[in-house]
């Protein structure tokens, strides 16, 4: 089964309520992203998910993220309940599109959410979930190439000390 979707998602320029800028300390999640899915995630603290992100729809988003003083990198973020795993608490899981050598629990992460990709889904298999996430990653990479989206990577939000 191959998922076919548009590779460019969202309008030509971020439109309100975007960008949504959040920051928090990376917390431990369920340990599924890297181990079970092969797609490691950095989890936002529940205070950010419950307060700063309470008014945006459940689903998958893309934008930019930065851990500590590392460079700003593209990201996809799942905001929701993760029905395949039957979560009982809403979570914000950021997959930074880069292969890191180590975990960064306890480090500060800044996230600029720029657009919505799709609604959260329940999956019948782990393979279907991973396939959809891979489509999300490709859509984020292509969508972030547009000038107005790319410019956010160099915004003052990421460049403040």
């Amino acid at each position: 089964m191959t998922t076919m979707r548009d590779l460019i998602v969202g309008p030509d320029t971020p439109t309100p309520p975007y960008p949504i800028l959040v920051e928090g300390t990376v917390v431990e999640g369920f340990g599924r992203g890297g181990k079970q899915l092969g797609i490691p995630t950095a989890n936002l603290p529940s205070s950010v998910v419950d307060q700063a992100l309470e008014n945006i729809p459940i689903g998958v988003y893309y934008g930019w993220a930065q851990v500590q003083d590392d460079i700003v990198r593209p990201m996809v973020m799942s905001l929701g309940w993760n029905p395949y795993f039957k979560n009982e608490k809403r979570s914000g899981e950021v997959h930074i599109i880069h292969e890191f050598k180590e975990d960064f629990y306890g480090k500060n992460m800044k996230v600029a959410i720029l657009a919505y990709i799709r609604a959260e889904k329940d999956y019948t298999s782990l393979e279907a979930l991973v396939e959809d996430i891979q489509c999300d990653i490709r859509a984020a990479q292509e969508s972030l190439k547009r000038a107005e989206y790319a410019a956010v990577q160099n915004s003052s939000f990421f460049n403040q000390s």
Side-chain angles (χ1 to χ4, degrees):
M1 169 184 174
T2 301
T3 304
M4 296 298 294
R5 287 195 265 133
D6 291 337
L7 285 181
I8 302 293
V9 182
D12 289 337
T13 184
T15 56
Y18 309 106
I20 297 171
L21 308 175
V22 296
E23 183 173 358
T25 302
V26 176
V27 298
E28 288 194 47
F30 298 101
R32 297 183 292 237
K35 294 175 186 73
Q36 202 169 353
L37 303 176
I39 304 167
T41 58
N43 294 278
L44 292 166
S46 58
S47 59
V48 171
V49 174
D50 294 342
Q51 294 165 19
L53 302 178
E54 71 178 336
N55 294 320
I56 65 171
I58 297 300
V60 179
Y61 295 83
Y62 67 86
W64 299 100
Q66 179 184 39
V67 177
Q68 277 321 85
D69 297 321
D70 193 18
I71 65 170
V72 179
R73 301 179 189 278
M75 69 85 189
V76 290
M77 180 186 80
S78 168
L79 177 66
W81 301 94
N82 300 315
Y84 180 81
F85 294 108
K86 314 271 187 272
N87 283 10
E88 294 182 12
K89 186 171 175 71
R90 195 169 77 130
S91 64
E93 300 176 58
V94 177
H95 171 67
I96 300 173
I97 305 170
H98 176 75
E99 191 172 319
F100 289 92
K101 303 267 187 252
E102 56 191 47
D103 292 330
F104 33 84
Y105 299 123
K107 294 192 176 176
N108 191 62
M109 180 171 63
K110 294 179 179 181
V111 178
I113 302 164
L114 299 181
Y116 183 81
I117 297 177
R118 64 174 175 84
E120 181 175 62
K121 300 178 188 175
D122 195 357
Y123 294 89
T124 56
S125 71
L126 196 59
E127 294 76 22
L129 170 60
V130 170
E131 187 176 312
D132 232 11
I133 295 170
Q134 293 297 342
C135 286
D136 299 334
I137 290 169
R138 286 190 299 276
Q141 290 170 315
E142 292 303 312
S143 297
L144 287 168
K145 289 178 182 177
R146 295 175 292 176
E148 296 292 325
Y149 289 87
V152 176
Q153 182 179 17
N154 298 312
S155 74
S156 61
F157 171 67
F158 292 115
N159 296 318
Q160 4 175 345
S161 316

